[in-house]
Amino acid sequence: MSSGTGLLLVAIAAAGYRFSTYCYALKFRVSRESGHRLYLTSLTVGLLFLPPAWLILQVSEWACSFAFVNNYCIKISELEYIIILSLWTLVFGYLTAYAYNKFKKHAKAEHIIREWRKNDFDSIYLRAQLDFKPLAISLDTGKVYVGMPVLSREPGSQDSHISILPIYSGYRTDKDLKFVLATRYESVAGLVSRGAQFSDDAKDFYMALPRERIVSIHIFNNHLYKQVDASYTSKKAHSFETLMQRLQGSDKNKSSS
């Protein structure tokens, strides 16, 4: 392989990688890839930008065939031609991604939702964020938490933790793994009652849970839990509903502002 051919292949792969990791159309799907698979994807996508780059040079050569333009043209070697072709390939890769992200309405949100729905864990996390629902998370230690997801994630992200604002904590029984809520975070409830759940004080209660320790995750249904756990009284259920209503109302006010 000549040095010129090698340079062109590197430029094609680089253009494809730049487009794939920057353009919302592929960014969240490619984030799940690595190694040879990522290289092949980059090379395949990069080939799409070679024809327009080649066309630019062909138009330039055609323009130089006219006498009044020829005086401004210079002859270049084969290696210089490949270098220029490589540069144009990179430029088209970046400009195409930039144009797509800028002019395609709601592109980021659409592709995030599309990729999240391909993964059960991410899909549940997405629903909790979009519908403002609490998550019930069980860890391999037997500990359980109920709380609101507080930090946004992107599909395929390498985050090893998820963050929640805890409302309840508890455990699963050793005998039948029954889901038991034992502790209500009164400090969090107090902040919510004052409308301060997005304050720095509330951030002190954010909890990061390691994904590798999570056994199960699901949307917490207050009414269903009340039916299966006799110790979860109507008073506790009503208190939880009031807390969620205040959280939801404050979140809407924050979004509108």
Side-chain angles (χ1 to χ4, degrees), residues 75-93:
K75 291 185 178 180
I76 58 175
S77 65
E78 181 180 351
L79 179 59
E80 290 172 330
Y81 180 91
I82 293 177
I83 291 175
I84 297 174
L85 181 62
S86 300
L87 291 175
W88 272 112
T89 302
L90 290 168
V91 168
F92 273 108

Side-chain angles (χ1 to χ4, degrees), residues 38-111:
L38 177 59
Y39 174 75
L40 290 175
T41 298
S42 300
L43 196 59
T44 301
V45 173
L47 284 171
L48 298 175
F49 307 115
L50 184 60
W54 174 82
L55 185 61
I56 285 287
L57 294 184
Q58 290 299 109
V59 170
S60 299
E61 289 185 1
W62 173 77
C64 287
S65 64
F66 294 94
F68 64 91
V69 178
N70 186 263
N71 295 329
Y72 301 97
C73 298
I74 58 173
K75 291 185 178 180
I76 58 175
S77 65
E78 181 180 351
L79 179 59
E80 290 172 330
Y81 180 91
I82 293 177
I83 291 175
I84 297 174
L85 181 62
S86 300
L87 291 175
W88 272 112
T89 302
L90 290 168
V91 168
F92 273 108
Y94 173 77
L95 290 180
T96 305
Y98 176 81
Y100 183 91
N101 291 350
K102 185 174 180 61
F103 299 110
K104 180 73 165 64
K105 291 184 177 180
H106 312 300
K108 184 176 183 179
E110 289 178 3
H111 290 289

Side-chain angles (χ1 to χ4, degrees), residues 11 26 38 51 58 61 75 77-78 81 93 104 140 142 158 173 176 180 197 199 221 227 237 246 251 255-256:
L26 292 179
L38 177 59
Q58 290 299 109
E61 289 185 1
K75 291 185 178 180
S77 65
E78 181 180 351
Y81 180 91
K104 180 73 165 64
D140 58 4
Q158 300 303 311
T173 59
D176 55 7
V180 178
Q197 64 272 14
S199 66
N221 188 306
Q227 295 175 15
R246 286 176 175 171
D251 183 70
S255 299
S256 61

Side-chain angles (χ1 to χ4, degrees), residues 161-191:
H161 295 72
I162 64 172
S163 297
I164 64 170
L165 177 64
I167 301 173
Y168 285 105
S169 66
Y171 58 91
R172 286 190 179 273
T173 59
D174 294 332
K175 183 178 180 180
D176 55 7
L177 298 180
K178 181 181 178 181
F179 190 95
V180 178
L181 296 180
T183 304
R184 182 173 184 259
Y185 287 80
E186 298 295 342
S187 298
V188 174
L191 288 169

